[in-house]
Amino acid sequence: MEGDLEPDEDDLEEISAEAIEQIQGMAASLQEEIMKAQADMQAAMMRGDMAEYMRLAQELQQKMMQQALGGQQ
């Protein structure tokens, strides 16, 4: 049927591959942020700076919640 709005299978595969790639990129970025935050938190703990440790922990928790809610800011 001419003018069919249904995407063909190749289009769906391309869209799916792009979506998967985007999700993997976001996951890698989040993982990097988590690793950096954990290292910063550990450094603060080693210095005995609990205020900084708590600030970093709260910041990490907020970033993770934003990610869980779809990147809303």
Side-chain angles (χ1 to χ4, degrees):
M1 177 177 185
E2 195 170 323
D4 190 4
L5 296 178
E6 291 291 320
D8 64 20
E9 193 169 317
D10 291 337
D11 288 340
L12 291 177
E13 287 177 11
E14 184 177 325
I15 291 168
S16 295
E18 289 174 7
I20 289 169
E21 188 175 312
Q22 184 178 18
I23 290 168
Q24 288 173 336
M26 290 180 350
S29 176
L30 180 60
Q31 184 65 27
E32 288 176 21
E33 287 184 44
I34 290 170
M35 290 173 60
K36 183 185 180 321
Q38 288 175 333
D40 291 346
M41 290 168 63
Q42 185 175 11
M45 177 80 74
M46 297 295 282
R47 291 189 310 270
D49 189 349
M50 291 308 292
E52 177 68 0
Y53 176 88
M54 292 304 295
R55 184 191 70 76
L56 291 166
Q58 192 172 35
E59 186 177 291
L60 177 60
Q61 184 180 26
Q62 185 177 24
K63 285 180 183 178
M64 291 175 69
M65 288 298 294
Q66 287 174 346
Q67 185 69 26
L69 295 174
Q72 299 173 358
Q73 294 188 17

